[in-house]
Amino acid sequence: MKSIDRNQLLESLSDSEKTWDIIIIGGGATGLGTALDAATRGYKTLLLEQHDFAKGTSSRSTKLVHGGVRYLAQGNIRLVREALRERGLLLKNAPHLAKNVSFIIPCYSRFELFYYSIGLAAYDLLAGRLSLGKTKRINKSEVVKRLPGINSKQLQGGIVYHDGQFDDARLAVNLAQTCLENGATVLNYTKVVGLLKSGSSICGVLASDTETGKTWNLRAKVVINATGVFVDEILQLDRPGSKHLIKPSQGVHLVLERSFMPSVDALMIPKTDDGRVLFAVPWHDKLVIGTTDTPLNEYSLEPVALESEIAFILKTASGYLERTPTRNDVLSVFAGLRPLAAPGDDSSQTKEISRSHRVLVAESGLISVIGGKLTTYRQMAEDTLGKAIAVAGLEPVPCKTANLPVHGSVNDKDWNDHLYIYGSDREKVLELINEQADWAKKIHPNYPYLRAEVIWAVRYEMAQTVEDVLARRVRLLFVDARAAIAASSITAQMMAGELGRDENWQNQQVARFTELANNYLLQP
Ligand SMILES: Cc1cc2nc3c(=O)[nH]c(=O)nc-3n(C[C@H](O)[C@H](O)[C@H](O)COP(=O)(O)OP(=O)(O)OC[C@H]3O[C@@H](n4cnc5c(N)ncnc54)[C@H](O)[C@@H]3O)c2cc1C
């Protein structure tokens, strides 16, 4: 397999004669899905990401591929049906990353048993032939057996239903690879800092390499703004003073040892004290608990969990778990921002703001895609391309992504082998050890991640920094922030060898990563 030469990709930007068919700003799931859709239809496609792929919200989700039981309760049938269809497609196209998981709703009254069994049966029905399994009622002892660690006081029984679960950042990395394989150019660490106009119409972007500061004027027939919570920044570049389209809503997750609930199944709490949904989901051999829904007026690439959100999750979880989790038990805390479409008025109740996506075309021809969910990224891309073709006057070509395998797609995998995330690349990662036996060593004694994975991330997954590797190629920052800090030194050393960097770079990388990872730790 040929390694990805990022410098060569950057050089391709210097061709001043070139006009791209489509330039996409933003390398989260939405932008990458759009780039893949465009490239597979045969359009000359460029995607620019200001930081790393999935640095934004697309690495900070609850990791569910779901229709959204909550949206069903709100009567949003169209959204649920669309998401359930997309859930089926993602499980088929990225079977190495997304899997069918049983979720158990513990019920504490006969009414709850009745209510949730009817609701979840409707969820199954909406999934149709893409259903992942039938909803069923189970008795109290089965709930306790399947969810060891659950608080069984007053428990009456439970409802088991099926949904999907995946690795969000890994999907982004694999989408970037699939884009490249289909002829697109995708670049991380390349920020759009301006828009080019011909008269009042957008005709390209001004992009800057965030490491060297080098800039390029890049021409395109259409420009797509897929920047999540940053959408309004690009709109301001287009038309200063534009109305804000996004209302960010923060969601926080806490990661605990799996021993708090050593189950294969996930726990779903459909109605917390303040009417939210809380999940406790096994993920990379830990337990991810979340989330919150806190309206914010500001946004950043590194949102920080509020104390009130942490307290809410710990308190709610302790009501359902036999062993009360405390701050000291939290291995990692991560926050993400939902790029929700703002309502017309300035409501701060983000639970009520639309979760469905919108594709908007500005007078200048700039296309912005907002809202949505990771689960529906492919449909969002298809809808966006529909608009882009019309705006740019491109020769229409039908969408090809519904049945397109994502890079690494393989059905034969062992979820207990941590290398499963590489799918069809698994053997190639291990083959690196033939080059240097040392690469078979782990980067941290308590975790299975190998030095070979660091090399793989640099050569084949465009990782540029220690953070890229430890946060989004292997997920150690999200799994255990302390262990990630401890692994940063060897990771920097391995990367420096590959990227031709000196000791100074290594020290800077370790210092920068340590500072960042400290935000994923709770002070006692
Ligand atoms: C707490 C939480 C839990 C969630 N759980 C789920 C879930 O379980 N399942 C689900 O389906 N969905 C879930 N979602 C929703 C889902 O994560 C988001 O809808 C999705 O990740 C948004 O992707 P995006 O590509 O639109 O935005 P992002 O992933 O944020 O990507 C936007 C990108 O644009 C880049 N960018 C910004 N400005 C520029 C610029 N000037 N130049 C270049 N690049 C730029 C940013 O760096 C960023 O990487 C959750 C969301 C949150 C917050």
Side-chain angles (χ1 to χ4, degrees), residues 387-404:
K387 285 262 174 27
I389 289 168
V391 167
L394 296 169
E395 182 73 36
V397 178
C399 175
K400 301 199 167 125
T401 53
N403 297 306
L404 184 82

Side-chain angles (χ1 to χ4, degrees), residues 85 170 314 337 345 401 424:
R85 188 193 64 233
R170 291 293 317 171
L314 286 174
L337 299 174
D345 63 346
T401 53
S424 56

Side-chain angles (χ1 to χ4, degrees), residues 25-31 48-66 166 190-193 226-230 233-234 237 249-253 291-292 301 335-339 369 371-376 380:
I25 316 172
T30 310
L48 302 169
E49 162 56 47
Q50 64 175 347
H51 194 277
D52 185 25
F53 305 116
K55 163 72 177 178
T57 310
S58 297
S59 57
R60 301 157 187 276
S61 76
T62 313
K63 329 311 177 188
L64 304 181
V65 194
H66 63 157
F166 76 132
T190 316
K191 179 171 178 163
V192 169
V193 291
T227 53
V229 288
F230 296 85
E233 268 183 25
I234 303 294
L237 293 178
S249 158
Q250 177 156 292
V252 164
H253 294 88
T291 180
T292 51
L301 275 176
L337 299 174
R338 297 176 188 84
V369 49
K373 290 148 55 92
L374 240 155
T375 306
T376 53
M380 291 168 72

Side-chain angles (χ1 to χ4, degrees), residues 272-287:
T272 58
D273 283 350
D274 62 350
R276 294 170 191 186
V277 173
L278 199 83
F279 291 96
V281 190
W283 187 69
H284 291 308
D285 213 23
K286 300 289 180 218
L287 196 62

Side-chain angles (χ1 to χ4, degrees), residues 15-36:
D15 177 358
S16 57
E17 297 301 305
K18 185 159 186 167
T19 298
W20 299 89
D21 288 326
I22 302 183
I23 290 182
I24 294 142
I25 316 172
T30 310
L32 288 162
T34 306
L36 182 57

